[in-house]
Each structure stands twice: as C-alpha cells, then as structure tokens.
Amino acid sequence: MHLDEADQQHLAALARAAGPGSTPRRSGSVPHRSRSHDHGRHIHQRGRPRQLLHFGLSEASPETIRRAHAVQPVTALQTEYSLWTRDVEAEILPLLRELGIGFVPYSPLGHGLLTGQIRTVDDFADDDWRKSNPRFTGENFRRNLAIVDEVTAIGAEIGATPAQTALAWILTRGDDIAPIPGTRRVARVEENTAADAVELTPAQLARLDALRPAAGARHDDANMASIDL
C-alpha cells in the first residue's frame, strides 16, 4: 500500500511513540486523509511485549477511531470539548463509550475565554493565534461573551470562579472524561483542581446545558482542513 509523505512522517512519529518506556503516549493529531487502520496496525506491530502500554489518538473522526481500534485497542482520545465546543456529543462520545475508550478533552476553558478574564482581544499579544480565530473576532467574539457572562453568573451563585464552573460542568459529563486545562501558573492549577469540589444544582446544570453554541468555527479554514473530521 502506498503512503504519501505526510502519512510516512506520521507513521515515523508513531514508531517513536511506541518505543521503550512506561509513560503513556498519544499518537498526535490524525492527519487529514490518513489511513486509520494503517496507524493502528503500525502501532500494533511496533509494540513489542511490555513496551506498548497505551495507544491514544487526537482529533480523530468516528471512522478513524473505529478502524484503528479494530487493529490495536485505543486507550484514549484527545479532542476539544467545553461549554462552547460540544460537537463530540453527537457521535464521538457515544462511540467512545461503546468501545470503552477514555476521553481527554483539551481546551475545556475555551482557549481561556471561559475563565472570564478576557473581555477584549486588544489584550492579546500581536502573535497570539487567537487574534485570527473565528470565535475571537468581530461579532462572533461579542456573541460568545454572552456565554461567559452566564457561566460567571452561575459561578457567583455558588462561590466559584467562571473557570471552576466550566470545569465542574464538564466533570458531570461522565467518569470516563478527564479534562486537561492548560496553564503556566500554580495558582491556576490550584483553582482548576478545586473545581472537583464544586457542586452544580440540577437547575444550574440545565442553564449551562441550554447555552447557545459558540459563534464561529473552532479554527480558521487552514487549521480546520488539517483535522480528521
């Protein structure tokens, strides 16, 4: 079977990930037009006994997940999921639960917007990629601030920060979900960890569930084209 240059590079990365060591690793984002069963077979063949512990995928489509899992069991999938990015609920989450695959949502705080700390893109550095992200530009950004305002209001009712409220919501989505909010500060780590103790009432959960979807695409056209949808 012929593999183009992009697939060959990805398979080389998979081979490195499957080398000796006890640290679980994910395979990285599945390249657009990838052959999922090839990825799974390559991992399976490279993983000698006691070396390959876990195999994960990132930003993989339902077809990719199912075909890769049929060759080499997938441990976890990493994909964006938050109060403003809920696409996975339609097909991905049900499939993961059918196959017994864990889910690791990245950007559970909406690239920082759900922290409530961002009110204008003028605060971003010139090289901040969010300046060109559709959800942070023009009218989309103004509409998306309404999501933050509701999250902030609910948090105020229970003495939680907007970030803690957003994380508390995602933790109610299932015990098989382990969100990974990114931060560079110890104080934020402590704040995010405390979300585990936040309890939302059924009425508050209903309000969060009813939030309108984010305005704008997750990424610009170039980046969306590289995702395995």
Side-chain angles (χ1 to χ4, degrees):
M1 178 179 292
H2 174 72
L3 297 179
D4 60 27
E5 182 178 355
D7 280 353
Q8 290 175 14
Q9 292 175 350
H10 187 65
L11 290 178
L14 293 183
R16 291 192 295 273
S22 59
T23 302
R25 301 167 184 261
R26 65 178 177 84
S27 72
S29 298
V30 176
H32 192 53
R33 306 187 316 275
S34 68
R35 298 178 177 86
S36 56
H37 58 295
D38 285 343
H39 299 328
R41 182 174 297 111
H42 191 74
I43 282 288
H44 179 77
Q45 293 171 347
R46 293 285 301 187
R48 293 182 292 275
R50 300 184 183 178
Q51 290 184 339
L52 177 60
L53 301 183
H54 302 286
F55 169 41
L57 296 172
S58 179
E59 292 284 16
S61 68
E63 179 186 6
T64 294
I65 296 167
R66 191 178 291 280
R67 295 175 69 186
H69 189 74
V71 177
Q72 172 67 38
V74 177
T75 303
L77 172 76
Q78 176 181 276
T79 293
E80 185 174 355
Y81 183 44
S82 69
L83 275 167
W84 82 338
T85 302
R86 300 179 60 177
D87 316 59
V88 299
E89 293 178 347
E91 294 184 74
I92 297 287
L93 268 178
L95 176 59
L96 296 182
R97 285 164 177 162
E98 173 192 336
L99 300 177
I101 299 172
F103 184 40
V104 181
Y106 73 82
S107 296
L109 297 178
H111 304 297
L113 190 67
L114 296 176
T115 65
Q117 302 297 310
I118 301 171
R119 301 302 299 184
T120 173
V121 295
D122 293 336
D123 294 335
F124 293 155
D126 290 341
D127 60 351
D128 193 315
W129 66 271
R130 289 173 294 184
K131 279 199 165 186
S132 62
N133 182 282
R135 293 186 175 181
F136 286 89
T137 58
E139 183 60 28
N140 286 345
F141 179 72
R142 288 186 286 274
R143 287 175 57 188
N144 290 334
L145 285 177
I147 299 175
V148 184
D149 292 340
E150 180 67 356
V151 173
T152 301
I154 291 174
E157 296 172 2
I158 54 178
T161 67
Q164 290 171 338
T165 305
L167 291 172
W169 172 84
I170 207 169
L171 290 173
T172 67
R173 312 309 288 177
D175 293 336
D176 52 353
I177 295 177
I180 48 172
T183 184
R184 300 176 180 176
R185 302 175 183 175
V186 173
R188 294 302 182 203
V189 173
E190 294 172 343
E191 175 187 353
N192 294 340
T193 302
D196 189 47
V198 173
E199 294 188 12
L200 297 164
T201 67
Q204 290 167 338
L205 281 172
R207 287 163 60 189
L208 292 171
D209 285 340
L211 287 173
R212 63 188 303 172
R218 285 206 288 141
H219 302 290
D220 58 26
D221 291 343
N223 283 305
M224 285 303 296
S226 69
I227 296 177
D228 177 40
L229 296 176

